Amino acid sequence: MNTLTGLPPTDEDIYLFHEGTSYHSYRILGAHPAVEDGLEGVRFTVWAPHARQVGLASDFNGWDGVEDSLHKIPDSGVWTRFFPGLTTGTFYKYDIEGPSGERFLKADPYAFEAELRPATASVVSDLNGYAWHDAAWRRKKKGLFSKPVNIYEVHLGTWRQKEDGTLYTYREIADLLIPYIKQMKYTHVEFMPLAEHPYDLSWGYQCTGYFAVTSRFGSPQDFMYLVDACHQADIGVIIDWVPAHFTKDAHGLRMFDGTSLFEYADPLKAEKPGWGTLSFDYSKPEIHSFLISNALFWLDLFHIDGLRVDAVTSMLRLDFEKKEGQFHLNELGGIENLEAISFLQKLNTAVFNYYPYTLMMAEESSAWPGVTSPVDENGLGFNYKWNMGWMNDTLDYVEASFEDRPSKHNLLTFPIAYAYSDNYALPLSHDEVVHGKKSLLGKMPGDYSQKFAGLRILLGYQMTHPGKKLLFMGSEFGQFIEWRDQYELDWLLLEYDTHRKMQTYTAELNQMYLEEKALWERDHELEGYEWISPHDSKQSVISYMRKGKKAGDTLIVLINFLPVERRQYRIGVPRSGKYVPVFQSEEERYGGQGASILEPILTEKITWHDQLNSLEISLPPLSFIVLKREPVSRQSEPTAIKLGQGKKKNSKASARKQSTSIRSEETIASNEGGNEV
């Protein structure tokens, strides 16, 4: 039951809060419209154990709460009072007198709504009463380990803006964003943090109001509408969630009651010097109640499907981005924050207890063991981890010049060595296309057409590598300049043919991902992936298989990372027969020079790559090709064909339109590495 009653806290409520197990503490603390003794009003409840006095400050008393004090519940650290006559929409703060006699105003840590920045007051809000229409979506929710997950990452303030530069509301943007996500064939949308934050350029990662969805885009009910509409369109919703640190703004959590209440008292543990923020004190059970109930709050009241937990490494390591002398070792002499580890395990246990199918995705950038292992096996208990190693290696490779790529070939092959050590999602996120890092398109070497070809094969490589997928907005149509965090995406680029074709490519690549079970059915099983040839570093070609539960679902993937055509490129394949193209990045409608495979390719009884059968294929420069064995029932009398000749085959696997030409920059009759028996 998620109804907010506005009842005063009971002894049991206070006990659970201090025990660290009040997982719905938002129902008690904060501001709640209520009726008491027949009078309508608002009950305010706040945790401020070291305060001498806590008053309610608002317009009605000139923002001076001395005469409107809350009542302290004995031996609890909790202050509460019912104010008759107040209504939703009332602006307020807590007027707190600290232990040293100083007075200051603080926003409510549990406020459900906040005043539009740059104003900083909390707002009384009633979250009851929204009529949800997503029951069908919620009924069919199941685990996603063997399902497609393809996430479109969005910063709401810059995805689209109105002509005058103002922001769309949650309701308004639903009418634009949801049809686009459906058009582009994504399964989920991930919003960068939407908890209230004072500074736009923090992108929401430095919060002040953990229970208040930001008022930049409208009311809490408006956000409910956006989530509801996504669910009705079969789109899952993930939000970035930030339990690692908070901003130091005066109205926020820092020194909340005049003491280090939410943050560590030890500055070496509290300070995050690189970010100018403060870490939560994970040793306090009340912080557990605050943060875990916040996680559940988004799932309870906003029907969120998943949380991408930000900056997990900074929570786990006492020495994170700190120099010698800026951190203490733990009591065992290690750099692990044992309290944060315990908190994360408790968080994931609680979330999965209430919502077993939630996506709990850790942004963990080190090689921390067991991030997605169960808590009872001493793991952290997440069900997904962002694969930062794959991301860093891959981007390092694709940014390299063509001349340097052969020497960096291990960056393509090494990630498979740990691809199954955790349950991974493959992110190409906002962090990689900002602050001088260039857009994904801008990272690519070569001329104009080669940059687009490079982006096509990068996205193809991501889509066929084990793991769930995430792509930051704008990359799908080839945003040229890096993300500008104050301006909308360059949608005007779609007036140009090359960018429209890039957008078409991404949409059809996403569609292929949805259709081909081999790309997700065994995502987290070793049996779902097999190298054909990882060794062709000289020609910078890799080939591998993705496998589903049925042999007939197996896909053959080939990627040529150099701007040189590879003719008569032989690979071993697991079964004899005809192989047809499922996807070719060089089709003309994608902006390429023309598909190289125009008819099914017949295997030969030539042992290659430890396979009894093999086939020859032409690889266009900078190309990504996916093949699939044609079912026996649809195979006609075997006829050998010449590469690049013949009519198109109207098979289900090759239903996407094929173009008819290729451009040869160099013809190589044999392929080193790929030609060794």
Side-chain angles (χ1 to χ4, degrees):
M1 178 178 174
N2 300 324
T3 302
L4 303 167
T5 63
L7 295 173
T10 65
D11 290 343
E12 182 181 8
D13 294 329
I14 292 171
Y15 174 81
L16 294 175
F17 179 72
H18 290 309
E19 187 187 52
T21 57
S22 179
Y23 296 154
H24 297 89
S25 59
Y26 66 83
R27 298 178 185 171
I28 304 303
L29 286 94
H32 296 271
V35 177
E36 298 190 17
D37 297 326
L39 298 174
E40 293 185 356
V42 179
R43 175 165 287 278
F44 297 86
T45 306
V46 63
W47 177 52
H50 304 103
R52 290 184 178 179
Q53 181 179 350
V54 177
L56 183 70
S58 184
D59 291 326
F60 69 83
N61 59 17
W63 295 94
D64 185 337
V66 170
E67 300 300 323
D68 292 293
S69 179
L70 278 66
H71 310 306
K72 190 173 186 178
I73 300 174
D75 302 319
S76 71
V78 175
W79 301 72
T80 189
R81 182 177 169 184
F82 176 73
F83 286 81
L86 295 187
T87 62
T88 58
T90 298
F91 295 100
Y92 72 100
K93 286 185 178 179
Y94 294 120
D95 185 343
I96 298 176
E97 181 182 345
S100 301
E102 71 280 21
R103 284 180 59 197
F104 43 87
L105 295 176
K106 288 287 188 179
D108 187 348
Y110 280 86
F112 294 153
E113 194 169 352
E115 196 175 5
L116 180 63
R117 53 91 174 92
T120 58
S122 299
V123 183
V124 176
S125 183
D126 187 353
L127 300 189
N128 290 313
Y130 179 82
W132 287 89
H133 298 91
D134 66 345
W137 167 269
R138 287 164 70 83
R139 277 197 303 270
K140 71 181 182 182
K141 282 181 69 172
K142 291 191 171 72
L144 293 172
F145 291 117
S146 59
K147 300 294 182 183
V149 175
N150 189 9
I151 304 164
Y152 186 55
E153 187 189 22
V154 170
H155 180 262
L156 266 184
T158 56
W159 184 73
R160 285 275 195 187
Q161 294 176 355
K162 297 179 181 179
E163 289 186 7
D164 61 0
T166 57
L167 305 177
Y168 285 99
T169 68
Y170 297 113
R171 287 179 183 267
E172 290 170 337
I173 211 160
D175 294 335
L176 301 173
L177 180 61
I178 292 171
Y180 185 75
I181 292 172
K182 295 298 289 184
Q183 171 194 334
M184 296 304 298
K185 311 300 182 183
Y186 290 101
T187 64
H188 291 71
V189 61
E190 179 177 319
F191 294 116
M192 291 166 66
L194 293 175
E196 194 56 77
H197 52 283
Y199 186 47
D200 287 6
L201 299 188
S202 78
W203 312 334
Y205 292 100
Q206 296 187 10
C207 305
T208 49
Y210 275 76
F211 290 83
V213 65
T214 179
S215 56
R216 286 166 174 79
F217 312 109
S219 70
Q221 289 76 14
D222 292 336
F223 183 55
M224 291 175 184
Y225 175 89
L226 173 58
V227 176
D228 197 7
C230 284
H231 287 171
Q232 291 177 62
D234 287 326
I235 299 167
V237 180
I238 302 165
I239 59 170
D240 281 10
W241 185 60
V242 192
H245 61 140
F246 55 87
T247 182
K248 294 181 178 180
D249 289 61
H251 68 286
L253 300 178
R254 178 180 177 271
M255 299 292 288
F256 183 77
D257 64 354
T259 70
S260 301
L261 188 63
F262 285 86
E263 69 271 26
Y264 283 108
D266 179 354
L268 293 186
K269 293 183 76 171
E271 293 285 344
K272 282 189 160 49
W275 298 338
T277 56
L278 295 170
S279 296
F280 283 99
D281 183 350
Y282 305 108
S283 70
K284 292 178 181 173
E286 295 87 354
I287 299 303
H288 291 201
S289 289
F290 176 79
L291 288 173
I292 295 174
S293 65
N294 182 242
L296 290 170
F297 166 81
W298 294 104
L299 308 177
D300 287 340
L301 295 184
F302 292 96
H303 294 195
I304 296 300
D305 302 290
L307 303 175
R308 178 267 198 182
V309 183
D310 181 62
V312 169
T313 311
S314 77
M315 300 170 67
L316 296 171
R317 296 183 63 101
L318 296 168
D319 65 343
F320 179 78
E321 294 188 355
K322 292 182 178 180
K323 300 175 183 177
E324 198 68 36
Q326 291 184 323
F327 63 92
H328 300 304
L329 298 177
N330 64 36
E331 65 252 32
L332 303 177
I335 53 83
E336 302 86 1
N337 187 331
L338 302 176
E339 299 147 1
I341 293 170
S342 177
F343 162 73
L344 289 171
Q345 293 174 326
K346 189 174 176 181
L347 163 73
N348 287 315
T349 300
V351 167
F352 291 126
N353 180 55
Y354 286 98
Y355 295 99
Y357 302 125
T358 302
L359 284 167
M360 291 295 289
M361 310 180 83
E363 189 222 9
E364 202 288 301
S365 56
S366 74
W368 194 276
V371 173
T372 63
S373 295
V375 170
D376 59 12
E377 297 177 11
N378 206 33
L380 294 183
F382 290 93
N383 54 9
Y384 278 97
K385 173 181 174 177
W386 273 23
N387 194 335
M388 309 297 278
W390 173 89
M391 179 199 71
N392 290 325
D393 285 349
T394 299
L395 294 181
D396 187 6
Y397 181 85
V398 299
E399 289 184 83
S401 67
F402 298 131
E403 293 78 10
D404 289 341
R405 284 186 174 182
S407 67
K408 290 177 172 284
H409 195 73
N410 65 299
L411 296 176
L412 296 174
T413 57
F414 179 64
I416 287 297
Y418 58 85
Y420 297 97
S421 60
D422 273 299
N423 301 322
Y424 283 117
L426 309 180
L428 292 171
S429 73
H430 66 277
D431 275 329
E432 309 314 312
V433 294
V434 74
H435 295 330
K437 294 182 182 178
K438 301 181 182 179
S439 68
L440 292 186
L441 184 66
K443 294 177 190 291
M444 302 298 157
D447 60 26
Y448 182 84
S449 63
Q450 289 170 339
K451 285 181 179 294
F452 279 93
L455 181 56
R456 291 195 296 272
I457 62 176
L458 169 62
L459 299 186
Y461 174 54
Q462 178 197 33
M463 198 59 67
T464 54
H465 192 282
K468 308 310 182 186
K469 325 299 176 187
L470 178 141
L471 186 67
F472 184 58
M473 64 182 197
S475 301
E476 76 275 12
F477 60 80
Q479 174 101 357
F480 246 122
I481 61 174
E482 67 178 23
W483 175 47
R484 298 167 299 171
D485 50 15
Q486 299 179 70
Y487 307 99
E488 76 168 7
L489 297 179
D490 288 337
W491 295 103
L492 58 87
L493 291 175
L494 293 176
E495 297 176 11
Y496 298 91
D497 192 50
T498 310
H499 292 275
R500 284 198 308 273
K501 289 181 175 181
M502 185 70 226
Q503 185 187 50
T504 298
Y505 173 84
T506 306
E508 296 199 13
L509 182 68
N510 291 347
Q511 182 63 39
M512 178 196 67
Y513 173 70
L514 293 176
E515 293 174 355
E516 298 296 340
K517 292 182 178 181
L519 296 178
W520 39 263
E521 196 171 46
R522 306 180 80 178
D523 237 348
H524 310 297
E525 302 174 28
L526 285 166
E527 296 78 9
Y529 184 96
E530 183 179 340
W531 279 113
I532 295 175
S533 173
H535 303 304
D536 193 1
S537 59
K538 184 176 180 180
Q539 296 185 99
S540 297
V541 175
I542 58 174
S543 52
Y544 49 90
M545 288 180 267
R546 291 301 310 277
K547 300 178 179 180
K549 294 180 179 178
K550 296 179 180 177
D553 292 332
T554 297
L555 300 178
I556 308 295
V557 181
L558 300 99
I559 309 177
N560 178 9
F561 285 95
L562 289 183
V564 178
E565 184 186 14
R566 308 298 183 191
R567 275 194 171 272
Q568 297 175 316
Y569 193 93
R570 183 171 291 276
I571 60 167
V573 292
R575 302 172 70 191
S576 63
K578 292 181 179 180
Y579 284 76
V580 294
V582 173
F583 204 89
Q584 302 186 76
S585 68
E586 280 299 289
E587 292 196 36
E588 289 178 348
R589 74 177 186 279
Y590 300 149
Q593 300 301 311
S596 62
I597 306 171
L598 307 177
E599 280 207 1
I601 302 172
L602 183 63
T603 61
E604 300 174 80
K605 286 289 185 182
I606 299 175
T607 301
W608 214 266
H609 295 141
D610 297 322
Q611 304 287 343
L612 296 177
N613 301 280
S614 59
L615 55 81
E616 283 188 344
I617 187 173
S618 177
L619 302 179
L622 294 171
S623 61
F624 161 77
I625 294 174
V626 181
L627 302 175
K628 191 174 186 179
R629 183 177 179 273
E630 193 172 69
V632 173
S633 60
R634 304 222 326 263
Q635 293 189 14
S636 57
E637 186 68 26
T639 304
I641 66 165
K642 295 182 179 179
L643 293 170
Q645 296 182 0
K647 297 181 180 179
K648 297 189 287 291
K649 178 81 172 179
N650 256 339
S651 69
K652 184 176 181 181
S654 60
R656 299 174 185 85
K657 181 181 176 184
Q658 307 294 317
S659 56
T660 57
S661 66
I662 63 170
R663 177 169 62 96
S664 174
E665 295 190 13
E666 179 181 339
T667 300
I668 295 181
S670 65
N671 48 301
E672 185 271 336
N675 262 340
E676 295 181 4
V677 178

